[in-house]
Amino acid sequence: MQPSSVAAASAQDSENTRFILLISLVATIGGFLFGFDSGVINGTVDGLQRAFDSDSVGTGFNVASMLLGCAFGAFFAGRLADLYGRRTLLIVAAVFFIVSAWGSGVAGSSAEFIFYRILGGLAVGAASVMSPAYISEVSAAHYRGRLATVQQIAIICGLFAAFISNYLLAKFAGTSTEPLWGGHEAWRWMFWMEIAPAALFLVLLLFIPESPRFLVVKARKPQALAVLTRLYGSVAGAAKFDEIEASLARDHHRPRFSDLIAKATGRVRPIVWVGIGLATFQQLVGINVVFYYGAVLWQAVGFSESDALLINVLSGGLSIGACLLTVVLIDRIGRKPLLWIGSLGMAVSLGLVTVAFATGSLDSEGKLALSDNMGLLALVAANVYVIFFNLSWGPVMWVMLGEMFPNQIRGSGLAVAGLFQWGSNFAITMTFPVMLAGIGLAATYGFYTIAAAVSIFFVIRFVHETRGRELEQMEG
């Protein structure tokens, strides 16, 4: 090959890579909205209690109601994406994000609020499985993990943006329950802040292509070849088309939900159980208690509302830093080592949080009072826990769910895993206020500690490495 030809080929490769990066970044805005929608509730709990006069159970359901929508959104998005496409489902999710953000802020009753939060949950659930799936299906194996990890960075950036927005809005108003612009309380504006990024997501989705693997499944060869050529070049694109077709032809061309059952044994495929385990353990370690109830948690141990919201900002910043480190490591040392290291770190740090909370006593207002040393230990250990989670289970679980299933069952496998992920999320979130009131913070965090310890053995025994493997090589 002549030097000029080598230079031209190199320039074309660079252009293809830039294109993949750009469309992947568009898909990750779904992750940003996932994070923002999940984190915004953190600063609105006091406002919801006052506006709707709800008790601990009612507050728990107001907070957790979105997660019901997330479970159904993740489950049906996986199946609907096999019928209508990954990009199409992301467009629908963007519309739902906009409507939910507006409606949650204008809600005048718990029922109305829950309706709009469930609608937002459908969007979050769909984005949570479709964004990493889309990124995995347009990326090459040698940097797929890094690009898919950007999805988790986007989630954390969304959480971080929500925490900063909540903190500033509450600070400007005085508290989250005081009126701000237009006579509306600050907590309502916290929801309305999401409308702008959701609208941007909707517009940008109109300019990205459909997943080439979906186009192959639908026998739309010209469109599939055009997208694959744009992603990898004409020669590599044609070879990848043949590879995808061959992987589908080993079974049957059209994916079906029944493909989750192995023909040889008549039982659910082992890879599906691994996906369910990954999705469930990610929630059983209690991370979303920090995300959804962080302000409540830190106020419960003596911090003011302003300080509690500021601690959330600190946690968000640490989370972004941890995810950036994962981007560097995930395609170098692999997914499995990051998972078990993260499990070990979370088990130890959660154990320290539990010890700190166990030393506390209730003050005259019924709040848990800690000594200065134990308060510092709880704060430091909780943030170390957040770092370990976002170094490992936070991004790696989503990376693995997006890539670990064979082409034939990717949509269906994501649907089931997503259902369990968000179902577990709902259970943990709904039960936290009840557990806080019933058994206290120490026992509650003791449960999360046990779950983190058990996850170490789950990873070592059942999880298989996917680093460097093409999607067409995945087995289950």
Side-chain angles (χ1 to χ4, degrees):
M1 184 178 290
Q2 297 295 321
S4 58
S5 300
V6 173
S10 178
Q12 185 63 51
D13 287 343
S14 297
E15 183 180 342
N16 293 338
T17 301
R18 282 196 297 271
F19 181 67
I20 291 171
L21 178 60
L22 285 173
I23 63 176
S24 295
L25 289 176
V26 172
T28 61
I29 299 176
F32 178 90
L33 293 169
F34 164 4
F36 195 103
D37 210 66
S38 299
V40 70
I41 197 73
N42 198 307
T44 66
V45 174
D46 287 345
L48 295 173
Q49 287 178 324
R50 181 174 297 187
F52 306 141
D53 192 27
S54 55
D55 56 18
S56 61
V57 175
T59 300
F61 192 75
N62 282 332
V63 173
S65 58
M66 180 191 79
L67 303 175
L68 290 176
C70 291
F72 286 104
F75 181 75
F76 288 107
R79 294 296 300 128
L80 291 172
D82 281 341
L83 296 174
Y84 303 109
R86 280 59 165 145
R87 173 176 172 268
T88 301
L89 264 292
L90 288 173
I91 289 173
V92 173
V95 174
F96 280 15
F97 274 124
I98 294 170
V99 176
S100 173
W102 173 81
S104 298
V106 302
S109 66
S110 282
E112 188 179 357
F113 178 79
I114 288 168
F115 170 79
Y116 284 112
R117 288 300 285 167
I118 289 176
L119 192 65
L122 293 172
V124 170
S128 71
V129 295
M130 283 303 102
S131 291
Y134 181 87
I135 294 168
S136 292
E137 292 185 350
V138 300
S139 306
H142 63 279
Y143 55 72
R144 186 180 61 232
R146 278 168 284 174
L147 281 184
T149 301
V150 174
Q151 161 78 357
Q152 180 67 14
I153 296 176
I155 294 171
I156 299 303
C157 285
L159 284 163
F160 189 59
F163 293 157
I164 290 178
S165 174
N166 288 354
Y167 172 72
L168 292 176
L169 290 172
K171 189 174 182 64
F172 290 151
T175 68
S176 62
T177 57
E178 294 296 318
L180 191 56
W181 304 302
H184 300 293
E185 300 96 325
W187 69 266
R188 296 184 184 274
W189 282 100
M190 292 175 184
F191 289 110
W192 292 335
M193 290 295 108
E194 187 181 351
I195 294 176
L200 176 65
F201 184 42
L202 176 62
V203 171
L204 292 178
L205 283 172
L206 302 177
F207 297 94
I208 70 172
E210 182 52 84
S211 161
R213 287 170 172 85
F214 168 77
L215 295 172
V216 175
V217 166
K218 289 298 183 180
R220 291 158 60 179
K221 183 174 181 178
Q223 297 97 316
L225 281 172
V227 174
L228 288 167
T229 298
R230 186 73 180 87
L231 296 175
Y232 308 122
S234 56
V235 176
K240 178 57 70 176
F241 178 88
D242 293 338
E243 194 177 335
I244 297 170
E245 273 212 319
S247 74
L248 294 170
R250 286 196 292 267
D251 196 337
H252 51 84
H253 202 70
R254 302 285 183 182
R256 299 192 297 253
F257 199 74
S258 59
D259 294 333
L260 297 180
I261 307 296
K263 290 181 178 179
T265 63
R267 298 178 179 178
V268 175
R269 295 191 190 199
I271 194 67
V272 178
W273 288 115
V274 175
I276 290 172
L278 286 169
T280 303
F281 272 115
Q282 196 211 39
Q283 294 306 307
L284 291 182
V285 298
I287 188 63
N288 281 317
V289 167
V290 177
F291 290 155
Y292 300 153
Y293 290 108
V296 175
L297 170 65
W298 295 116
Q299 287 181 74
V301 295
F303 289 91
S304 67
E305 180 188 55
S306 179
D307 287 341
L309 291 172
L310 192 57
I311 291 170
N312 286 340
V313 174
L314 171 64
S315 296
L318 292 173
S319 297
I320 293 172
C323 286
L324 290 172
L325 184 57
T326 307
V327 171
V328 175
L329 297 175
I330 192 166
D331 285 323
R332 294 185 180 182
I333 70 173
R335 285 67 161 150
K336 185 170 180 174
L338 286 174
L339 286 175
W340 70 256
I341 291 170
S343 292
L344 181 61
M346 287 190 295
V348 173
S349 53
L350 281 170
L352 292 174
V353 173
T354 302
V355 169
F357 287 161
T359 67
S361 59
L362 296 179
D363 63 16
S364 59
E365 297 180 356
K367 291 184 177 181
L368 184 67
L370 301 178
S371 68
D372 289 344
N373 288 338
M374 288 296 104
L376 180 61
L377 175 63
L379 180 60
V380 172
N383 280 291
V384 169
Y385 157 68
V386 167
I387 290 172
F388 272 106
F389 177 85
N390 286 290
L391 180 66
S392 58
W393 282 82
V396 177
M397 189 277 292
W398 290 115
V399 170
M400 293 203 71
L401 289 188
E403 69 184 10
M404 65 189 283
F405 298 109
N407 282 332
Q408 192 68 43
I409 65 167
R410 185 165 299 114
S412 299
L414 276 167
V416 172
L419 177 66
F420 274 85
Q421 201 271 345
W422 289 110
S424 302
N425 193 328
F426 174 80
I428 292 295
T429 305
M430 184 67 191
T431 57
F432 177 72
V434 179
M435 294 173 72
L436 179 63
I439 63 176
L441 276 172
T444 301
Y445 270 76
F447 172 80
Y448 304 146
T449 301
I450 293 171
V454 173
S455 71
I456 300 172
F457 301 100
F458 170 78
V459 171
I460 293 173
R461 175 65 179 84
F462 296 106
V463 175
H464 300 289
E465 184 59 66
T466 55
R467 176 172 65 103
R469 299 174 62 192
E470 294 290 344
L471 297 186
E472 287 64 48
Q473 297 174 334
M474 300 299 176
E475 299 176 354

